[in-house]
């Protein structure tokens, strides 16, 4: 049975403004740094496949959230994933702290291009790139 006491590293706080799908897969944590942001999750057995390593779909969903966060932070515009490419480099196991970050590499009026990395400690787990459609009618004007 999974324990909800996930012991995130110092500086991480619970992420509470996520949608139902992401919240169901968590709990997730985040921190803002001088260079950007980091999201993290304590890998649990329910995140894993039959081989005992984090399921590729879980890693991709986590990376998609990172990419979307980067787009929001850069553009203040709601965006939808158009394409995402993922390179699986390593695995994560139950009990390990998985974290990642992302950045926008280019944004136009209608699309944003971004990159993300997931890692456990110093070990790269996944690299992803994405293209997001910026939904201008939802642009935050505040």
């Amino acid at each position: 049975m999974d324990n909800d006491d996930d012991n995130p590293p110092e500086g991480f706080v619970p992420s509470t403004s996520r949608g139902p799908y992401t919240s169901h897969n968590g709990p997730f944590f985040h921190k803002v740094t001088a260079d950007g942001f980091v999201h993290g999750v304590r890998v649990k057995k329910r995140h894993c496949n039959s081989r005992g390593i984090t399921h590729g779909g879980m890693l991709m969903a986590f990376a998609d959230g990172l990419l979307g966060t980067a787009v929001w932070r850069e553009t203040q515009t709601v965006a939808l994933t158009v394409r995402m490419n993922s390179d699986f480099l390593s695995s994560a196991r139950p009990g390990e702290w998985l974290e990642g970050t992302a950045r926008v590499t280019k944004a136009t009026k209608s699309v944003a291009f971004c990159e993300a990395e997931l890692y456990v400690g110093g070990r790269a787990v996944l690299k992803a790139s994405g293209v997001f459609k910026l939904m201008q009618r939802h642009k935050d004007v505040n």
Side-chain angles (χ1 to χ4, degrees):
M1 180 174 259
D2 291 335
N3 181 349
D4 285 335
D5 183 15
D6 297 293
N7 299 317
E10 188 172 332
F12 282 86
V13 296
S15 296
T16 57
S17 62
R18 298 184 175 261
Y21 178 82
T22 305
S23 295
H24 175 76
N25 288 321
F28 292 98
F29 300 86
H30 70 274
K31 69 177 177 179
V32 176
T33 68
D35 298 326
F37 70 95
V38 180
H39 289 179
V41 62
R42 182 72 59 193
V43 176
K44 297 182 176 191
K45 187 176 179 181
R46 71 170 185 256
H47 297 134
C48 296
N49 61 23
S50 62
R51 306 300 292 167
I53 60 175
T54 306
H55 191 283
M58 169 64 180
L59 295 173
M60 291 177 70
F62 186 56
D64 186 50
L66 289 167
L67 295 167
T69 297
V71 171
W72 171 256
R73 288 173 56 89
E74 178 77 18
T75 68
Q76 296 295 293
T77 305
V78 172
L80 301 175
T81 309
V82 173
R83 180 179 66 224
M84 185 175 133
N85 296 313
S86 300
D87 296 317
F88 297 91
L89 307 172
S90 183
S91 60
R93 298 188 179 276
E96 292 183 321
W97 178 255
L98 176 69
E99 63 183 41
T101 191
R103 76 209 52 75
V104 171
T105 57
K106 180 179 180 180
T108 69
K109 282 185 169 184
S110 60
V111 295
F113 301 85
C114 40
E115 299 174 340
E117 301 88 31
L118 278 60
Y119 41 92
V120 170
R123 184 179 77 238
V125 173
L126 181 137
K127 289 192 182 279
S129 61
V131 179
F132 282 70
K133 171 69 176 155
L134 301 177
M135 308 302 290
Q136 290 298 332
R137 71 176 182 257
H138 298 289
K139 187 166 181 73
D140 187 1
V141 292
N142 293 329

